[in-house]
Amino acid sequence: MNVNNYNNHTTEADLLRDDFFIRSMLAPTEETERFWQQVLLVNNLSEEVFEGAKQKLLQPAHSMNQHAKDALFSQITESTHTRVRKISYYRYAAAAILLVLGISFALFRYQSNEVPVKELAEKSQADTSGILLVTGDGETVNIEGKEAVLDFSNANAVTVNKKKLEVARISQAVQHEVRVPVGKRISLILSDGTKMWVNAGSIVKFPSHFDKKQREVSVDGEVYADVVKNPKKPFVFHTKEFNVQVLGTSLNIHAYSDDPNQQVTLVEGKVKVKSSQGEHFLKPDESYFADGKTEEVREVDVTFFTSWKDGFYRFKDQQLKDVIQNLERYYGTDIECSPKIAKMTCSGYLDLKDDINMVLRGVAFSMDIKFKKEESSYKLYQ
């Protein structure tokens, strides 16, 4: 790192948007302390600004009101998430604390809650099998690797990672099914060119070719979709609890059959969500929420619901148990968490390209708890 990089850092906001500053304040070393001393000596950065940014970063959560926490969270996330791909040189032991997670003891906070929380360890063992394509004629194809691109848009061939898939009569099969186990993901390109990112632990049912009147797909899990526009042929997503109709749009659907919390988040276009309780029309930057009892539509920051497809996980004011549940699906491993810790609420930004050990190390450091590996699972505890 060159001290001259900080010639233009003259305010606290400049430092709070700087990844290296965040990391070196939270996990200081003799080398980083010498570096910042040199910056203060040779640059325009004043010691008052430096100390002010440092104190904001390290300020205990109990001494901050909610407005201050939200302001700090927004200030730090404002630009860092657009530059995360450029900072690979920071990726070592402290990388799990990268970006907003690094300020977690300013943002993570315990929230008293008397609602009982079951041990997360009660979850069944993670499915570590491969991605499966089950064709309409019953043939099963194992797709190797943690991620893949399955393409049905070419009329003459079906490909996996641009390689032709040798499956008998697949182009004539009516209905196919992709099963993505926990710890894996797949991109699915349908016959009309619609592209879907299918998250871990999800099942998608789709045809080789759509009929003339309507395009229909079934989802159990989470998908992000860029739907090709065709006013004459509406696109319908079917889930266990609701249907979503679109003409051409970008949206995220979170609808795991074993999760009572269901969401549809609209990025572009317009959609109609139809459930047993009625119909809801969404505009961009709106989400439909349902928990099995109530449902509502509210305005949201869509990046908190769609960042997973790009390998990042953003969350705000979520209980740790929900964060852990998503990490379990994404990494395909069990994580045990005590009821007390599970009720903590937190905000953060995780790079899912880091391995699970690095991510959990960052979570434990930030929340002042401990973690350890136990055979094929992990445990968070105080």
Side-chain angles (χ1 to χ4, degrees), residues 121 125 333-336 357 371-381:
Q125 289 294 317
T333 189
D334 286 338
I335 304 171
E336 180 183 349
N357 290 283
F371 95 100
K372 63 180 178 180
K373 192 175 189 305
E374 295 184 334
E375 296 182 354
S376 60
S377 63
Y378 295 86
K379 183 176 182 179
L380 293 172
Y381 61 100

Side-chain angles (χ1 to χ4, degrees), residues 176-363:
H176 307 304
E177 182 175 304
V178 168
R179 303 173 185 173
V180 184
V182 292
K184 302 188 178 182
R185 285 153 297 286
I186 195 169
S187 295
L188 175 62
I189 305 174
L190 302 178
S191 60
D192 67 337
T194 291
K195 187 171 184 180
M196 299 173 63
W197 288 259
V198 185
N199 207 352
S202 301
I203 298 174
V204 176
K205 297 180 181 180
F206 61 98
S208 295
H209 306 285
F210 294 110
D211 63 30
K212 296 181 179 180
K213 294 182 178 180
Q214 190 163 265
R215 297 170 288 172
E216 296 181 90
V217 168
S218 296
V219 175
D220 180 348
E222 183 167 30
V223 300
Y224 179 93
D226 281 333
V227 178
V228 171
K229 189 173 183 178
N230 187 343
K232 296 181 179 180
K233 190 183 292 188
F235 199 111
V236 179
F237 293 93
H238 298 282
T239 77
K240 181 180 179 181
E241 300 296 336
F242 56 83
N243 298 326
V244 184
Q245 181 175 321
V246 307
L247 293 177
T249 189
S250 298
L251 75 162
N252 194 82
I253 297 174
H254 178 101
Y256 290 94
S257 59
D258 61 350
D259 187 344
N261 297 310
Q262 314 269 300
Q263 296 128 27
V264 178
T265 304
L266 184 61
V267 179
E268 295 178 359
K270 184 178 181 181
V271 302
K272 178 175 72 174
V273 181
K274 185 176 181 179
S275 71
S276 60
Q277 297 188 37
E279 295 181 351
H280 301 275
F281 292 88
L282 302 186
K283 296 180 294 185
D285 301 318
E286 288 186 340
S287 263
Y288 159 86
F289 294 90
D291 60 7
K293 298 178 182 179
T294 62
E295 55 185 26
E296 64 173 324
V297 174
R298 59 177 181 258
E299 190 173 337
V300 297
D301 179 345
V302 297
T303 59
F304 284 96
F305 302 87
T306 63
S307 59
W308 64 267
K309 78 178 181 67
D310 297 315
F312 307 110
Y313 178 24
R314 295 186 68 193
F315 48 95
K316 187 176 182 181
D317 297 329
Q318 284 193 10
Q319 286 196 337
L320 182 59
K321 68 180 181 66
D322 296 324
V323 174
I324 293 302
Q325 182 182 49
N326 286 328
L327 292 178
E328 285 184 312
R329 286 198 187 108
Y330 203 92
Y331 285 99
T333 189
D334 286 338
I335 304 171
E336 180 183 349
C337 185
S338 71
K340 183 178 180 180
I341 294 175
K343 290 182 287 187
M344 292 179 176
T345 60
C346 49
S347 299
Y349 189 105
L350 293 170
D351 187 342
L352 296 172
K353 294 185 292 295
D354 289 333
D355 66 44
I356 185 63
N357 290 283
M358 191 173 290
V359 168
L360 290 180
R361 185 179 294 116
V363 171

